[in-house]
Amino acid sequence: MKKKSIITLIILCLSLTVSAQKVFDIKKYGAVGDGKTLNTKAIQKAIDAAE
């Protein structure tokens, strides 16, 4: 029983580590979702911030 609990705890810890990814919303970097505006600069700003 102890072995199953330890394995479960390890799997839980690993899943939390993997799911802790940062999200970069390109609208916060100036992108406009209107289908007309070129958002290249805003996307590049978000990429640069992610590095």
Side-chain angles (χ1 to χ4, degrees):
M1 188 68 174
K2 269 187 167 181
K3 191 174 184 178
K4 286 184 181 181
S5 296
I6 292 172
I7 292 172
T8 303
L9 181 62
I10 291 171
I11 291 171
L12 177 64
C13 290
L14 289 174
S15 67
L16 291 174
T17 303
V18 171
S19 66
Q21 298 176 2
K22 194 164 183 181
V23 175
F24 292 86
D25 183 3
I26 60 171
K27 288 186 176 182
K28 291 182 180 178
Y29 293 90
V32 181
D34 63 0
K36 298 176 184 176
T37 306
L38 188 61
N39 295 304
T40 309
K41 290 182 181 180
I43 294 169
Q44 188 61 55
K45 285 180 187 178
I47 291 170
D48 292 343
E51 295 182 310

